[in-house]
Amino acid sequence: DNPLLSTPISKRQAHEFNPTQPRGILHRAFSVFLFNSRNELLLTQRAPSKITFPNVWTNTCCSHPLTDMGVNEVDTNDHFSEFKGIKTAAIRKLRHELGIRGEDIPLEGFRFLTRFHYWAADTVTYGNGVECPWGEHEIDYVLFVRYDDERNGPLALDLNEEEVSDHEYVSLQRLKECLYDPDKALRMQT
């Protein structure tokens, strides 16, 4: 447990790269990977209005746990590997970004895989120079969840256009094609 990771900071402050914090501020985050019954991963394209990594295709949903919520979303090592707070935050953001109802993806359906520390400058948007103003510096909690669309029907989505501009379910083979063959990359909505 690092007390700095529990100190509330603004999203802008955490992701801003500048001379006094060249890698932003280390903070907690989570990444949700949602699969359907055919083991296809739901990918999303970030909205063009996003400050970091606009228009980039990514996993289903990424965000940050919040403090002072009804259920505390900021877990400590005492919560390993249950991490109810992070999972509650994931449900909140799936609803906010994709319109997914909590009853469709219940807390107990999430599986915590690991957490890792990473840093990434948004060179996709702002270039490779030392002046890149935005990026990520996070302890990221990785969550997998499956929605049984064969039994329950298609998962209802209602994309929040301020967060997500497009989505696509991809098989492992299709994901590999997207990553390794530029001619088969996912379509870009700009």
Side-chain angles (χ1 to χ4, degrees):
D1 285 328
N2 180 338
L4 292 175
L5 293 175
S6 299
T7 304
I9 56 174
S10 74
K11 190 173 181 180
R12 179 183 181 92
Q13 184 182 13
H15 293 91
E16 185 176 17
F17 288 18
N18 60 48
T20 60
Q21 57 184 46
R23 290 189 172 190
I25 297 174
L26 180 63
H27 57 281
R28 295 176 198 250
F30 60 85
S31 294
V32 175
F33 294 76
L34 187 150
F35 296 87
N36 63 19
S37 300
R38 293 168 302 288
N39 291 323
E40 295 170 323
L41 172 61
L42 177 60
L43 297 180
T44 58
Q45 184 183 21
R46 293 172 59 83
S49 60
K50 300 293 282 183
I51 292 174
T52 55
F53 303 96
N55 295 312
V56 172
W57 281 91
T58 186
N59 54 287
T60 309
C61 177
C62 296
S63 193
H64 310 91
L66 299 177
T67 57
D68 300 324
M69 298 297 288
V71 172
N72 187 4
E73 295 180 356
V74 180
D75 293 310
T76 67
N77 282 339
D78 294 339
H79 300 115
F80 189 87
S81 70
E82 196 169 311
F83 293 122
K84 284 185 179 178
I86 288 287
K87 293 173 182 178
T88 300
I91 291 169
R92 173 181 53 79
K93 283 307 285 186
L94 286 168
R95 175 72 170 193
H96 175 246
E97 293 188 8
L98 298 167
I100 297 173
R101 302 174 317 154
E103 54 266 27
D104 288 335
I105 308 290
L107 189 77
E108 58 273 6
F110 285 90
R111 297 292 171 256
F112 166 75
L113 269 65
T114 191
R115 60 184 172 185
F116 63 96
H117 180 182
Y118 83 104
W119 170 83
D122 185 359
T123 58
V124 172
T125 308
Y126 301 103
N128 287 322
V130 292
E131 301 297 321
C132 183
W134 303 106
E136 304 283 2
H137 189 187
E138 300 177 333
I139 301 293
D140 193 39
Y141 292 68
V142 178
L143 303 171
F144 276 25
V145 65
R146 179 177 313 281
Y147 176 77
D148 189 350
D149 56 336
E150 288 180 359
R151 190 176 87 198
N152 301 321
L155 181 61
L157 299 179
D158 182 15
L159 304 185
N160 177 344
E161 63 185 30
E162 294 179 6
E163 298 286 340
V164 176
S165 61
D166 203 0
H167 71 286
E168 183 175 329
Y169 282 96
V170 296
S171 66
L172 179 58
Q173 180 60 36
R174 174 74 174 114
L175 182 60
K176 287 178 182 179
E177 289 171 358
C178 294
L179 293 173
Y180 299 115
D181 185 345
D183 294 330
K184 295 184 179 178
L186 292 166
R187 64 194 180 281
M188 296 299 285
Q189 304 285 328
T190 56

